[in-house]
């Protein structure tokens, strides 16, 4: 039960954090608003690119069934 609660908290915690940093009204109609919000929150673009590269590696790992 504790693992479920911690997992749910970990999964749902980015939403309020990003909502606090970047108001959704300024992101409406923009492409890839999540990346824009991360960039505004961190003040740099390299962390956004790092997250995207790691996501690409994760997709490749899943598609190739590499563990």
């Amino acid at each position: 039960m504790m693992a479920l609660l911690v997992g749910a908290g970990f999964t749902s915690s980015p939403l309020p954090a990003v909502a606090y940093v970047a108001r959704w009204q300024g992101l409406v109609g923009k492409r890839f608003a999540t990346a824009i919000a991360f960039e505004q929150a961190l003040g740099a673009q390299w962390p956004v690119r790092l997250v995207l590269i790691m996501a690409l590696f994760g997709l490749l790992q899943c598609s190739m069934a590499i563990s």
Side-chain angles (χ1 to χ4, degrees), residues 14-33:
L15 182 62
V18 171
Y20 176 74
V21 173
R23 301 290 179 213
W24 66 268
Q25 292 90 350
L27 300 174
V28 172
K30 294 185 180 178
R31 285 189 64 178
F32 206 35

Side-chain angles (χ1 to χ4, degrees), residues 55-67:
L56 178 64
F57 285 152
L59 286 173
L60 288 173
Q61 182 181 4
C62 290
S63 67
M64 295 179 166
I66 300 171
S67 53

